Amino acid sequence: MSNAFRFKSGTALLLALGLGVGTVTPIITAAPVVAQTQTQTQIQAQFTDVSASYWAREFIMPLAARGIIAGFPDGTFRPDEPVTRAQFAAMVRQAFNQSSVRSATSFVDVPANYWAAAAIREANTMGFLSGYPGNVFRPDENIPRAQVLVSLSNGLNYTASSQNSVQVYRDAAQIPDYAVASLAAATERRLVVNYPDVQALRPNQIATRADVAAFIYQALASQNQVATINSPYIVGQQQQAAQPTVPTGTVLSVAYEQSDKVVVLPDETAALTLNVAQAVTDSTGRVLIPVGSQVVGELRPSGSGSQFVAQELVLPSGQRLAINATSQTVTTTETIRQGGSFGETLAGAVLGSGAAAAIARTTGDQRVDALEVLAGSATGATLGRIFGRNRVDVIAINPARDLSLTVNAPLTVSAR
């Protein structure tokens, strides 16, 4: 008994929404631009209950200007009032001008002199709305949000790439089975507008006049009949939260774990990896670059000194980001003399490979070989000038003091 009841109810809904088998694909033509007098346009622009900040104003006003929807004699629009099936048919008739896909049905509860009889007939023949079993239309029945969207989706012959598209809604489990495929298509075509919670579809809630205006506007936008608008309540179009960005000019405090001193030749290039010593946060306190993130780059010749050029930022999560950041040019030099030893001057220092070779050759102190040497290179001309001389000038860099990095281009990261 219960199974039979569910079958009959589902069939009634399918019929009511124009989901009959073998429906002919509708031919879409341009939506009519209804001529307006200046007085009518002015009236529509002055709905006393649709303020400039009202969430649906951008949907309501263009439709009012086209004559697709209208206000009341007292100058109101009454956006929160429910919409009946007859009223929805009237709006559809004004919004869309499609070829008929079927013969008109004679609904037993829609007499010829009923105010919306013509609109119901045209919405029916265009494929947007059908009746219930027994040729009943129920013109005065309020229409739920899901039915409005199913009607528009099917009337425009939209299909979904995947029924899983409805999973963007937190209340997707409340979608009636008959509506899932059509609502998935409506979602993919951005017909769905959910206020105030974009993730809450509320499929079985009665549609308001504002809801229907928004759905119809989006349906027209999907057909390129009206301009696309931006609204945070359009599902799939709402702008994603701006990705956290480290702005140009941000200074990164860094440290070098291997040593307090790095020594290179003036013309030497040496690979170096620094660690972020102080977290970078945005104005709300979100951590954009955590402490311990690594900055991979190299020391390069710059004028008469050496400059660190960052190439990649490696976050603790393992995420790797290209980064455009540089240090100041370091020009602090130290002189290593022939016959001397590196002693306290170079104790614990990390050397560029060119500096290591030049110092060892100049001083003859083989203990240089025990120091850590960076991968890199110095030009043959530089080494040729140094070898055989009794002194060598090197650039001595204190990473914590000298290598603070300035970000030269915005860096988009994931907030922590």
Side-chain angles (χ1 to χ4, degrees):
M1 177 67 178
S2 61
N3 288 337
F5 175 77
R6 283 198 296 271
F7 174 78
K8 290 173 66 177
S9 298
T11 302
L13 284 171
L14 292 174
L15 290 172
L17 295 168
L19 303 180
V21 177
T23 300
V24 179
T25 301
I27 299 173
I28 308 297
T29 58
V33 179
V34 179
Q36 299 281 300
T37 66
Q38 184 62 29
T39 300
Q40 287 174 317
T41 302
Q42 289 174 343
I43 289 174
Q44 303 293 6
Q46 296 174 5
F47 294 138
T48 57
D49 51 356
V50 180
S51 67
S53 60
Y54 185 68
W55 74 268
R57 180 181 177 85
E58 291 181 286
F59 305 105
I60 293 169
M61 303 314 294
L63 298 188
R66 282 179 166 235
I68 293 171
I69 56 177
F72 293 86
D74 63 358
T76 62
F77 181 74
R78 304 177 193 176
D80 298 324
E81 284 195 357
V83 175
T84 66
R85 283 170 53 80
Q87 291 168 345
F88 177 62
M91 296 178 192
V92 166
R93 178 200 192 191
Q94 289 295 97
F96 303 98
N97 182 22
Q98 299 178 202
S99 300
S100 296
V101 298
R102 59 191 169 202
S103 300
T105 302
S106 296
F107 297 113
V108 297
D109 55 350
V110 181
N113 61 352
Y114 184 73
W115 73 270
I120 291 170
R121 182 177 60 255
E122 291 189 32
N124 171 236
T125 59
M126 286 190 293
F128 285 96
L129 288 167
S130 292
Y132 295 88
N135 287 343
V136 174
F137 186 78
R138 302 179 191 173
D140 299 320
E141 182 176 87
N142 291 334
I143 188 167
R145 286 166 52 88
Q147 289 191 24
V148 173
L149 290 165
V150 169
S151 173
L152 292 171
S153 181
N154 286 276
L156 296 175
N157 202 37
Y158 288 158
T159 57
S161 61
S162 171
Q163 294 192 17
N164 289 333
S165 298
V166 299
Q167 296 306 314
V168 298
Y169 306 114
R170 189 166 49 250
D171 52 356
Q174 298 177 20
I175 299 174
D177 289 344
Y178 79 87
V180 171
S182 298
L183 281 174
T187 300
E188 292 180 8
R189 293 287 186 144
R190 298 182 179 177
L191 271 57
V192 186
V193 185
N194 293 331
Y195 173 86
D197 183 352
V198 74
Q199 292 182 307
L201 178 62
R202 295 167 288 126
N204 302 309
Q205 182 173 307
I206 298 302
T208 65
R209 285 167 55 79
D211 288 335
V212 173
F215 296 157
I216 289 178
Y217 187 95
Q218 286 301 108
L220 288 170
S222 73
Q223 296 286 306
N224 297 318
Q225 301 301 321
V226 294
T228 300
I229 63 173
N230 291 319
S231 167
Y233 307 114
I234 298 173
V235 177
Q237 177 184 286
Q238 64 271 17
Q239 295 179 345
Q240 297 181 349
Q243 291 295 309
T245 300
V246 178
T248 299
T250 299
V251 176
L252 304 182
S253 297
V254 298
Y256 183 57
E257 291 185 348
Q258 279 66 40
S259 176
D260 293 332
K261 181 181 286 188
V262 177
V263 176
V264 293
L265 294 176
D267 293 338
E268 184 170 9
T269 297
L272 196 66
T273 297
L274 305 174
N275 293 312
V276 174
Q278 182 176 340
V280 176
T281 61
D282 65 10
S283 59
T284 68
R286 290 185 302 177
V287 176
L288 304 182
I289 302 179
V291 171
S293 299
Q294 294 184 322
V295 184
V296 180
E298 58 186 17
L299 292 166
R300 297 178 183 175
S302 175
S304 59
S306 183
Q307 179 185 48
F308 181 81
V309 178
Q311 298 169 319
E312 189 174 44
L313 176 68
V314 183
L315 301 178
S317 65
Q319 183 181 12
R320 308 178 80 91
L321 303 168
I323 181 173
N324 181 347
T326 52
S327 73
Q328 64 178 326
T329 296
V330 183
T331 57
T332 303
T333 61
E334 292 185 4
T335 300
I336 309 298
R337 300 185 182 280
Q338 185 178 26
S341 65
F342 63 81
E344 293 184 1
T345 301
L346 298 179
V350 171
L351 308 181
S353 58
I359 292 170
R361 182 66 175 267
T362 301
T363 65
D365 192 333
Q366 298 306 309
R367 287 180 298 168
V368 170
D369 295 339
L371 297 178
E372 182 173 349
V373 177
L374 299 172
S377 63
T379 66
T382 297
L383 295 176
R385 289 196 304 270
I386 291 172
F387 289 167
R389 299 184 61 182
N390 60 7
R391 55 178 285 176
V392 57
D393 292 326
V394 296
I395 304 294
I397 301 167
N398 180 325
R401 181 191 65 205
D402 300 330
L403 298 186
S404 294
L405 303 177
T406 299
V407 176
N408 300 320
L411 172 66
T412 300
V413 297
S414 298
R416 291 290 189 274

